[in-house]
Amino acid sequence: MKTKLEKNEALALLKKYNKEPFHILHGLTVGEVMRWYAGELGYGEDSDFWEIAGLLHDIDFEMYPEEHCTKAPELLREGGAEEELIHAVCSHGYGHRVDVKPEHEMEKVLYAVDELTGLIGAAAKMRPSKSCKDMEVSSLKKKFKDKRFAAGCSREIIAEGAEQLGWDLNKLMEMTIMAMRSCEDSVNRQMEEV
Ligand SMILES: [Fe+2]
């Protein structure tokens, strides 16, 4: 899987349609988490593609919330994205926004980590360290079960995502915490430049 979009081009495209720092943070985080998963799951050669798909997955959400995942193809095509990348982006709205099913393992990972990175980020903010580096799966599970906590992060989608991958929730949480630990500093550095 290859994309001709370089990271700086993809980031410029994301910023063209997203002004909220939180949305840039979310894109950068999901992108880096996807890159980590590519390496971990044996798709190292495709890690640029995995990252760009993560970075751009919510490109249309800020300006076109009602058309989330249906406006994205137009914005991405204009920006020079390949159809494969567009499919990946759209598939994270499967069953909720669009009928584009996650097929490739990359797409299933994107579907599973999108909401979960949000939950981990919100849980990290509550910690004295403000970091996920000292977060254990057990404490994340408590936040997962507490439906009032970060209510916007859909537990249903996270659970469906794990199921699509054929993983139990524990494995998904453990790996995603590891991914977020490894990219936390890098994402924070990139946010300073935003
Ligand atoms: Fe997202």
Side-chain angles (χ1 to χ4, degrees), residues 79-91:
E82 297 79 5
E83 293 305 308
E84 204 177 19
L85 189 65
I86 293 170
H87 188 279
V89 164
C90 294
S91 71

Side-chain angles (χ1 to χ4, degrees), residues 14 18-30 55 57-58 61-62 114-115 117-123 125 150 152-153 180 187 191 194:
L14 180 70
N18 288 269
K19 306 299 170 200
E20 276 287 331
F22 179 76
H23 292 154
I24 309 289
L25 173 70
H26 177 62
L28 286 169
T29 303
V30 175
L55 184 62
H57 79 282
D58 276 340
F61 187 63
E62 184 174 308
D114 175 23
E115 301 281 317
T117 57
L119 184 66
I120 295 173
K125 263 195 202 157
C153 300
M180 282 187 69
V187 168
M191 281 306 290
V194 168

